[in-house]
Amino acid sequence: MKCQKCDRAATFHITDLVDGQASEVHLCEQCAQAFLTPTPEEAEEVMPAMAGLLAQHLAVDETADELARLDQRACPVCGITFLQFRKQGRLGCPHDYVFFEKELEPLLLNIHDQTQHIGKNPKRCPRGADQQTQLIRLRREMKEAVSEENYERASELRDQIREIEASVRPSPEP
Amino acid sequence: MNLDELAQTTGEWLRGSGPESDIVVSSRVRLARNLADFPFISRTTEADRAAIEKILHGRLQEMQDSGRAPADLIYVDVGDLPELDRQFLVERQLISREHAESEGARAVAIDRAEQFSVMINEEDHLRIQVMHSGLDLQSALEQASTIDDMIEEQVTYAFSDRLGYLTACPTNVGTGLRVSVMLHLPALVITRQIEKVFKSLQKINLAVRGLYGEGSQATGDFYQISNQLTLGETEQELAKKVADVVPVLIEYERQARSFLVRESHETLHDRVSRAFGILRTAQTITSEETMHLLSSVRMGINLGLIGNDLKITTINKLLIHTQPAHLQKLAGMELDQTDRNVERAAYLRQHLDPDTKSGDPANN
């Protein structure tokens, strides 16, 4: 079977749902990828409930200017901006819970009615969780250094990463 | 590894034959966990995802090597899987739709009995899922927690004293726990009371979803009831809240069934018999219509409206085996929609036909 959009062989057979009507779409891998990748508009629709909830909360306390400034704040560890979080409804790294603490507080209260965990704790005491957060940042910086062809910096960062990785690795089971 | 073997069976969650199994289908528990030294999935690079997959796969392998995880654990590279097999795992509830459709390195480990699956690189780095037949949240929770402890011995989870286990979505933070019970509630649907029930559940912070989870339509009158909050209560409290509401829902459904039997016996009997008749004679049938009709027959068996020895477990098997990917796996070939509908009708006739079954069809 040929792809419906080009001349390659159709290897993807997708059931598309439009307004409750199912139809079959037959595409090659490349066209299927384009077909299945959400448009920016669709991607924004992913978590409308959460975005709405956030907007509602933020609007109460913040003026438009403050909101715009807030949206531009970026986590120093993973680089996600608050705007990106608001759009996708997913955080970028564990440090976001610290960095956006003030912004997340009303949201957490609204969802859970609580802001203190009282359930299970990890058995093993997480040694140097701060260092592990640093690993996220260092790996990102190394990738940036490589893309800027700053190989000297990249190799420095790689050494730092290896050092931390070795120190935080749990000891083998007794 | 061969998924075809799994296709022959119904899996744990549809095994049910215990008390109330005509209403309570299965119990499910899932824990969301993330490694402390990687970004959450949306900010990971392809290399990050490959590294996470390697670490967690390695951890599961160690657990198997030391005899603490089943030796015959099936480890599946989901990214490498053909579309049909991914769909098959979704139908079986061993992976989520999101997991099937996302990109990059991702995997799932499944135990042969299908009581648990561990998804790697879903919305969170790690999703531990335990499924038990019938109402059995407590032991499902214990099993999930044991697997969690074992994995955690050699990896460091993202955790804060204040917010608990840190997750990509703030709706899962804290315990990272979702407990859910799947119920079959056809009489509440017919008597139009289901919306009322949902509203009351929402008031006590319980969520209602369809058969295939978030955003899916409630197909065949199957509903999943689960906790909405994950923070500020213990795992046991969260599980209890869901478990406590189940007997109430069973009672409502039983009352609605009695009402239907009492007040509109002919209509109900007609509905069930027609459903049974179509399923046994149709030459082409969609998955939606099949689910809809099987739901009626499933209730009819419980109310004694189907006169032969048809069992609820047979209906459970048909429910899963007539799903699009299962049907194709069982047929041993890919089929387009038209051919699937013909194949599905043939499969149903073969399993429900009076000539191949003992006993008399319903006519009393």
Side-chain angles (χ1 to χ4, degrees), chain A residues 91-92 97 112 117 120 124 139, chain B residues 37 40 145 155 162 167-168:
Chain A
L91 292 163
Y97 281 101
H112 303 286
H117 174 62
K120 181 178 178 177
R124 228 163 33 77
R139 289 200 197 101
Chain B
D37 53 348
F40 294 143
S145 194
V155 300
R162 195 170 74 91
T167 52

Side-chain angles (χ1 to χ4, degrees), chain B residues 10 72 75 85 118 123 127 130-131 156 180 230 239 243 269 273 286 292 303 344:
Chain B
T10 54
D72 57 357
Y75 193 86
D85 285 349
V118 177
E123 182 184 300
R127 288 269 173 114
V130 174
M131 283 187 287
T156 303
S180 60
T230 54
H269 198 169
S273 304
T286 64
H292 181 68
L303 296 176
R344 183 177 295 113

